[in-house]
Amino acid sequence: MALRLPRIGTSQIVALGLILVANWIVSPQFFDIRVQDGRLFGSLIDVFNRGAPVALLSIGMVLVIAMRGIDLSVGAVMAICGAIAASLADTHSLPVVLAAALGAGLLCGLWNGLLVAVLGIQPIVATLILMVAGRGIAQLITEGRIVTFTSPDLAFLGGGSVLGLPTPVVLTLGMMALTLALVRGTALGLMIEATGGNPRASALAGIGTRFITVGVYVWSGLCAALAGIVASADILGADANNAGLWLELDAILAVVIGGTSLFGGRFSIILAVVGAFIIQAMNTGILLSGFPPETNLVVKAVVVLTVLLAQSPRLGGHFAGIGVLFKRSKSGGKRS
Amino acid sequence: MNLRALLLASAVSGALFSVGAQAADMTIGFSQIGSESGWRAAETTVSKAEAKKRNINFKIADAQQKQENQIKAIRSFVAQGVDAIFLAPVVATGWDSVLKEAQEAKIPVVLLDRDIDPAGKDLYLTAVTSDSVHEGKVAGEWLVKTAAGKPCNVVELQGTVGASVATNRKKGFEDGIAGASNVKIVRSQTGDFTRAKGKEVMESFIKAEGGGKNICAVYAHNDDMMVGAIQAMKEAGLKPGTEVLTVSIDAVPDIFKAMAAGEANATVELTPNMAGPAFDAIIAFKDKGTMPPKWIQTESKLYTQADNPMAVYESKKDLGY
């Protein structure tokens, strides 16, 4: 019969498509792609390449939010891990550099997880601690200056390419696939949703909620570490003052645009990543448009508002007539 | 004979001593904003070195970006009875009462790097600052001279929207190129003064301007954004420094490395040596009562590839940038 759109995710994918078309209207060469030094080169590629750090953060963030938590520290963890990677890059081999940076991210996540799961501190407060302190730690590591490196191995993670695709995009897809396999390939995803929906009932049903809580924060820390490495590798240096600054908010926004509720429960990793690319498509579009920079934030706010309104179940009810096209069920559809 | 020689020697040395003594006995307190940027760190390092050169007992209080800490530091300097106070004000307002306290104690105050609200003009001796409009103008004039009458499309990487430095450097550059109809700004966006944003914005400029073929020059409000832009140009297969001219402001060490590699053309220095002229003004004021002008403008020196960039890099790299 007629073409059936998936029940969930339609609004996000339509939004991404519309923004890409809008970009093409303001900048006709938007979809032009050529090969430059063995890698694909074009504005569309930029959207995915520049969106990679926030997409990585959103992969970890979506799990945390599904558990009814939040991780405000990811931007600072990016700065810490980027600083560690850049400081070690010229004196150590790539595996050592990666192990140190990812290990630091893991420790940061463990710290957050313990504060939340063991000490019972509210997630927003617990992760606020590391959000503030973490940037200071990063500044201590870099001694307040921009630490630069020349190691081509680490630079490859930011500026290199695999089969023409920029490495950050490949890393993001890899991390997404790994997370999906872990969460959706096992009962873990179900347990996360159950715990997010009702922690007490889940614990009584025999789910190790405490262990899973620590686990999701560790995963978020790991994703942030990878994002920090990518950000450092991109500019061949670690800028502790600015790396990952305010990106925790973009990551939360990506998760929310992706349809995951801040009250926990149902979540979609793929749509969170789509949400991150929606944000970046918007940023890239604004840069290409030639609008004066003073309008950047207003344009962004209007687009975000529109995307979120499109998802609102109440508003959706009013537009039920038009909504037939989208075949959105009133209950919000099932998880992806 | 011997006694006379001894007396003479002691008189001579005494006279010598008293000349140097003015500076050597001088204690100056400096309320520094904090370590907000590499430039700020370099300013602290250079200030210490300049004080040592002049044998001045120099005390630095780090305010960690907080005005209340600066006010506390000034009060404690007044209580210690220092000879002069240097202040790098974190904000422009709210200094009246504490500066009056210093004035009543007859301790001259010199502002470094930033000015305060005009209402407080008579509360300090002089302000040593750079003119950021002038910095932009020097950059613009260099580009007009280098373009030599040929048509030149410029893309501009602005600093943070709303920051006075960004507004001024933009205005100055526009003044600098005002007389040359061949040089015009075709695109202007904010890169937030950071490398990462500078790179991202430059990537989009390159795509919007036909793969960079229509770009003749890049002007960045600071060197960090330019370092990012240079990477973006290289990744796009362009040759910054030859195909695309670059001019930026600040003169941080890394831009000299790029200049030495032929990938950057020019930078205008925001000197970290604000304390040097301030010390000289204070010494002249204390020794001879010379009243300094209300505003001492630091030099906005232009550096190009011809100025031995590698040597400048070596001299700047340990300043804490």
Side-chain angles (χ1 to χ4, degrees):
Chain A
M1 245 172 72
L3 176 73
R4 279 191 63 152
L5 290 158
R7 283 183 172 178
I8 187 164
T10 311
S11 61
Q12 286 85 356
I13 289 165
V14 169
L16 182 59
L18 285 179
I19 292 173
L20 293 180
V21 170
N23 287 354
W24 174 67
I25 292 168
V26 297
S27 156
Q29 75 287 353
F30 183 75
F31 289 110
D32 294 359
I33 290 176
R34 63 184 164 94
V35 176
Q36 173 74 43
D37 299 334
R39 65 180 273 190
L40 296 173
F41 180 88
S43 295
L44 188 63
I45 303 298
D46 280 356
V47 170
F48 293 106
N49 192 23
R50 293 285 146 226
V54 173
L56 281 168
L57 294 182
S58 70
I59 294 171
M61 187 70 80
V62 70
L63 300 181
V64 174
I65 289 180
M67 296 279 288
R68 219 185 272 188
I70 200 146
D71 189 348
L72 295 182
S73 70
V74 288
V77 174
M78 269 182 80
I80 295 177
C81 301
I84 291 175
S87 315
L88 299 178
D90 282 340
T91 47
H92 294 74
S93 66
L94 190 64
V96 178
V97 172
L98 289 184
L102 291 174
L106 200 139
L107 279 179
C108 291
L110 194 63
W111 163 263
N112 285 332
L114 292 177
L115 287 184
V116 173
V118 178
L119 299 180
I121 301 175
Q122 284 178 348
I124 196 164
V125 180
T127 56
L128 188 68
I129 298 171
L130 193 58
M131 175 187 171
V132 177
R135 198 157 292 281
I137 295 171
Q139 284 163 344
L140 282 177
I141 296 170
T142 61
E143 293 169 338
R145 50 179 90 179
I146 297 177
V147 176
T148 54
F149 62 87
T150 51
S151 154
D153 295 343
L154 184 57
F156 175 79
L157 297 181
S161 63
V162 180
L163 302 173
L165 280 177
T167 329
V169 180
V170 176
L171 286 174
T172 308
L173 293 178
M175 194 66 189
M176 188 171 86
L178 178 65
T179 314
L180 275 174
L182 277 174
V183 172
R184 295 301 184 196
T186 66
L188 205 58
L190 193 66
M191 292 183 192
I192 290 173
E193 286 179 345
T195 313
N198 190 335
R200 190 126 178 252
S202 310
L204 290 172
I207 296 176
T209 51
R210 190 171 280 185
F211 178 76
I212 295 180
T213 307
V214 175
V216 294
Y217 281 97
V218 167
W219 199 252
S220 178
L222 216 54
C223 289
L226 200 54
I229 293 168
V230 167
S232 270
D234 180 41
I235 59 164
L236 306 178
D239 183 351
N241 293 344
N242 298 304
L245 193 64
W246 308 126
L247 286 195
E248 56 278 342
L249 299 181
D250 275 6
I252 294 168
L253 186 62
V255 170
V256 172
I257 290 178
T260 301
S261 162
L262 288 177
F263 293 111
R266 280 184 306 117
F267 67 93
S268 167
I269 295 169
I270 295 176
L271 290 183
V273 170
V274 171
F277 290 134
I278 287 177
I279 297 175
Q280 187 55 43
M282 216 154 57
N283 289 341
T284 305
I286 291 169
L287 294 180
L288 288 170
S289 67
F291 290 148
E294 290 80 1
T295 59
N296 290 3
L297 298 175
V298 179
V299 173
K300 216 171 145 178
V302 170
V303 176
V304 170
L305 184 69
T306 316
V307 175
L308 292 181
L309 283 180
Q311 285 182 44
S312 157
R314 276 198 198 159
L315 212 64
H318 290 298
F319 290 100
I322 315 162
V324 173
L325 178 70
F326 293 93
K327 298 240 178 203
R328 286 178 47 167
S329 68
K330 271 196 180 146
S331 64
K334 68 172 207 279
R335 66 190 79 96
S336 68
Chain B
M1 269 289 263
N2 254 346
L3 189 71
R4 257 179 70 186
L6 197 70
L7 276 174
L8 193 72
S10 67
V12 167
S13 71
L16 275 177
F17 208 80
S18 69
V19 169
Q22 297 277 7
D25 291 344
M26 205 181 269
T27 301
I28 293 179
F30 177 24
S31 171
Q32 173 65 297
I33 292 181
S35 47
E36 54 172 15
S37 64
W39 183 85
R40 197 60 60 194
E43 188 196 24
T44 307
T45 316
V46 172
S47 303
K48 281 184 199 159
E50 291 289 321
K52 206 169 170 199
K53 231 192 262 176
R54 293 172 177 79
N55 257 328
I56 289 170
N57 182 12
F58 196 51
K59 295 177 176 176
I60 299 181
D62 184 326
Q64 296 174 327
Q65 281 83 247
K66 289 204 180 79
Q67 187 179 25
E68 69 245 40
N69 290 345
Q70 293 205 291
I71 292 175
K72 267 185 229 159
I74 295 171
R75 292 225 164 96
S76 109
F77 288 142
V78 171
Q80 291 167 39
V82 296
D83 297 287
I85 294 171
F86 289 0
L87 168 66
V90 64
V91 290
T93 52
W95 300 103
D96 294 8
S97 65
V98 71
L99 290 188
K100 262 180 202 130
E101 285 169 37
Q103 202 169 41
E104 277 157 21
K106 298 208 164 45
I107 299 174
V109 174
V110 179
L111 302 182
L112 294 192
D113 173 47
R114 296 188 192 182
D115 216 333
I116 62 169
D117 214 42
K121 269 272 180 283
D122 48 346
L123 293 175
Y124 60 86
L125 182 71
T126 177
V128 184
T129 66
S130 173
D131 180 353
S132 40
V133 177
H134 180 64
E135 290 164 358
K137 199 162 175 233
V138 171
E141 282 164 354
W142 173 83
L143 188 60
V144 169
K145 210 174 90 199
T146 312
K150 284 196 279 291
C152 188
N153 288 342
V154 185
V155 296
E156 181 185 34
L157 295 165
Q158 297 183 29
T160 312
V161 176
S164 64
V165 184
T167 321
N168 292 345
R169 286 179 177 175
K170 181 173 173 53
K171 185 181 175 299
F173 187 79
E174 283 163 0
D175 292 351
I177 62 170
S181 56
N182 57 322
V183 180
K184 60 174 194 289
I185 299 174
V186 290
R187 275 181 186 266
S188 183
Q189 249 298 344
T190 174
D192 281 338
F193 283 131
T194 69
R195 288 186 189 206
K197 279 288 281 180
K199 185 174 179 187
E200 181 181 347
V201 173
M202 192 63 206
E203 281 175 351
S204 71
F205 281 170
I206 291 170
K207 272 129 208 164
E209 295 294 330
K213 295 282 169 284
N214 308 334
I215 302 174
C216 146
V218 188
Y219 166 51
H221 289 187
N222 78 346
D223 289 337
D224 276 328
M225 288 192 288
M226 186 59 87
V227 171
I230 288 170
Q231 278 177 21
M233 287 187 264
K234 277 159 72 184
E235 283 174 16
L238 297 169
K239 288 193 182 63
T242 47
E243 282 178 2
V244 183
L245 299 170
T246 82
V247 57
S248 46
I249 302 178
D250 271 359
V252 303
D254 280 349
I255 200 75
F256 289 99
K257 233 199 248 171
M259 273 158 67
E263 292 167 350
N265 296 97
T267 183
V268 180
E269 184 177 47
L270 167 62
T271 178
N273 182 14
M274 303 255 166
F279 285 133
D280 292 340
I282 281 288
I283 291 170
F285 177 70
K286 289 265 174 188
D287 286 0
K288 304 189 198 86
T290 322
M291 203 63 190
K294 207 70 205 175
W295 178 37
I296 302 175
Q297 184 188 350
T298 57
E299 189 190 4
S300 300
K301 191 174 173 206
L302 179 81
Y303 286 93
T304 63
Q305 289 178 354
D307 294 304
N308 194 1
M310 213 53 215
V312 185
Y313 171 75
E314 290 298 327
S315 71
K316 278 185 171 254
K317 70 171 187 192
D318 292 323
L319 293 181
Y321 273 111

